[in-house]
């Protein structure tokens, strides 16, 4: 089998993704690529059944500096600002997964992706945790026959150490460029500033938390997928409950979905999802799922050429099962009358 190419695969998220793929598919070869060949080679040697390449997506480097294009899928763990990585995927018909970018950057990614979609699948995962939060939210909404409103609070806990340089650069670029974030209110998609969109929600353990609208496209995706007329995805940077209680960092997703149950009653469903950063890195788990689908590792059929978002590339119910198997904790669903 042709290896899966991870450009930036020796960074923090790239390493965790490679490890998740190795756990799920121990016999699938991996190609770890980046500017620092020595670092990539060291990590490839640690993984086993992996090769290392020097790669450069900054522009004007033929074939990104890679010796060939024989890969079953590829993910790029930094912003493809030149579009060269996607052009490489198109030239060699490699299923492509983009794992960076804010909601406002999807227009650029789609415009470039339109020129590759006849040759390969192009998955743009500009979501929190590359679609991990969205999968949990849509899986819960799937318990309802219709959905009226969704609120999700996401706690991003980095007390155990900062994100890698590519992730930090991503947020610096996004927050420095776009000061408004998307939500849906009374059926209207709109952009609001962080201050204007601030709201309180009940976090894990009954904590009162304040969140600002997420920089991701999740609110739009939830509205489009469920028909909910009111959608807010709030992000809170701070300590998770597990950090406060055990000094173990976790990313947390608290979901409340209001709608009609299958028996016709109006209800509010609530669920807490906790992803320990050390043992169940939810971003890496989701990217591994996207690459699995793109390459057809589990299905035996690669994702057909075209442009996809996370919710079109993954099945939420199946993704939730995968995340549970990987160690993400899905709490019980509470039900109360609306």
């Amino acid at each position: 089998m042709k290896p899966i190419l991870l450009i930036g695969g020796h960074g923090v998220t790239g390493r965790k993704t490679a490890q998740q793929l190795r756990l799920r598919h121990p016999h699938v070869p991996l190609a770890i690529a980046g500017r620092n060949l020595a670092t990539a080679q060291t990590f490839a040697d640690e993984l086993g059944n992996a090769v290392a390449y020097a790669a450069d997506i900054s522009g004007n480097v033929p074939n990104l500096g890679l010796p060939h294009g024989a890969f079953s899928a590829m993910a790029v763990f930094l912003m493809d600002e030149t579009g060269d990585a996607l052009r490489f995927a198109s030239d060699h018909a490699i299923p492509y997964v983009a794992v960076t970018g804010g909601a406002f950057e999807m227009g650029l990614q789609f415009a470039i992706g339109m020129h590759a979609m006849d040759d390969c699948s192009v998955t743009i995962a500009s979501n929190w945790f590359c679609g991990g939060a969205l999968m949990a939210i849509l899986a819960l909404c799937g318990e309802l026959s219709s959905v009226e409103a969704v609120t999700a609070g996401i706690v991003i806990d980095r007390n155990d150490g900062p994100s890698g340089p590519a992730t930090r650069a991503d947020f610096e670029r996004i927050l420095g460029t776009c000061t408004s974030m998307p939500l849906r209110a009374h059926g209207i998609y709109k952009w609001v500033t962080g201050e204007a969109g601030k709201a309180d929600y009940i976090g894990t353990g009954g904590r009162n938390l304040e969140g600002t609208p997420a920089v991701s496209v999740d609110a739009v995706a939830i509205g489009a997928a469920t028909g909910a007329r009111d959608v807010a995805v709030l992000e809170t940077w701070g300590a998770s409950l597990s950090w406060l209680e055990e000094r173990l960092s976790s990313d947390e997703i608290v979901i409340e979905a209001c709608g009609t149950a299958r028996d016709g009653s109006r209800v509010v469903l609530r669920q807490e999802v906790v992803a320990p950063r050390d043992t169940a890195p939810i971003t890496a788990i989701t990217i591994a799922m996207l690459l699995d689908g793109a390459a057809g590792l589990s299905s035996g059929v690669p994702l057909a050429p075209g442009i996809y978002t996370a919710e079109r590339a993954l099945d939420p119910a199946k993704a939730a099962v995968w995340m549970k198997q990987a160690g993400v904790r899905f709490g019980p669903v509470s039900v109360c009358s609306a």
Side-chain angles (χ1 to χ4, degrees), residues 21-335:
L21 283 168
R22 179 62 78 240
L23 287 171
R24 193 82 177 192
H25 300 288
H27 303 300
V28 172
L30 302 176
I32 309 301
R35 287 188 175 184
N36 191 324
L37 178 59
T39 303
Q41 186 65 64
T42 298
F43 181 50
D45 291 342
E46 292 173 7
L47 279 172
N49 194 22
V51 295
Y53 297 117
D56 187 348
I57 68 168
S58 62
N60 297 320
V61 179
N63 273 334
L64 311 181
L66 295 165
H68 61 80
F71 302 102
S72 60
M74 63 182 285
V76 182
F77 290 87
L78 57 164
M79 190 65 181
D80 182 16
E81 295 179 316
T82 64
D84 284 358
L86 183 50
R87 173 60 65 89
F88 174 80
S90 176
D91 288 345
H92 298 281
I94 306 167
Y96 178 92
V97 178
V99 302
T100 62
F104 72 99
E105 292 172 307
M106 287 189 74
L108 292 173
Q109 292 173 312
F110 269 87
I112 298 170
M114 290 290 288
H115 294 275
M117 61 178 288
D118 290 337
D119 304 310
C120 62
S121 63
V122 178
T123 302
I124 301 171
S126 297
N127 311 82
W128 258 116
F129 312 128
C130 292
L134 181 60
M135 292 302 102
I137 293 164
L138 294 182
L140 180 64
C141 290
E143 299 298 314
L144 299 170
S145 61
S146 65
V147 183
E148 300 170 18
V150 177
T151 299
I154 300 173
V155 174
I156 306 98
D157 184 346
R158 295 299 178 265
N159 278 297
D160 64 348
S163 301
T167 301
R168 293 198 301 274
D170 215 27
F171 279 103
E172 288 170 5
R173 185 189 68 257
I174 291 169
L175 296 176
T177 305
C178 186
T179 57
S180 297
M181 292 75 173
L183 54 73
R184 194 179 200 194
H186 308 297
I188 299 173
Y189 295 105
K190 58 177 65 179
W191 295 85
V192 298
T193 63
E195 285 297 318
K198 277 186 176 179
D200 296 329
Y201 65 96
I202 304 300
T204 55
R207 295 179 297 156
N208 290 309
L209 298 176
E210 182 182 69
T212 57
V215 298
S216 67
V217 74
D218 289 296
V220 178
I222 294 163
T226 68
R229 307 293 285 175
D230 293 280
V231 183
V233 177
L234 305 170
E235 58 188 35
T236 303
W237 292 78
S240 60
L241 185 63
S242 60
W243 177 261
L244 295 173
E245 294 181 345
E246 307 173 65
R247 286 299 185 263
L248 298 173
S249 287
S250 297
D251 291 319
E252 301 173 336
I253 309 161
V254 177
I255 313 159
E256 290 190 357
C258 176
T260 303
R262 302 198 185 283
D263 64 2
S265 60
R266 289 187 71 246
V267 297
V268 176
L269 306 183
R270 176 183 166 91
Q271 187 173 40
E272 298 178 0
V273 179
V274 178
R277 277 174 46 80
D278 183 42
T279 58
I282 187 169
T283 300
I285 292 166
T286 311
I287 298 170
M289 286 192 286
L290 290 168
L291 286 167
D292 174 282
L297 299 183
S298 295
S299 67
V301 181
L303 200 58
I307 294 185
Y308 300 82
T309 53
E311 72 274 18
R312 300 298 295 172
L314 297 173
D315 176 272
K318 292 179 180 178
V321 171
W322 182 317
M323 287 192 283
K324 291 174 186 177
Q325 293 170 342
V328 179
R329 300 197 297 266
F330 284 66
V333 177
S334 65
V335 184

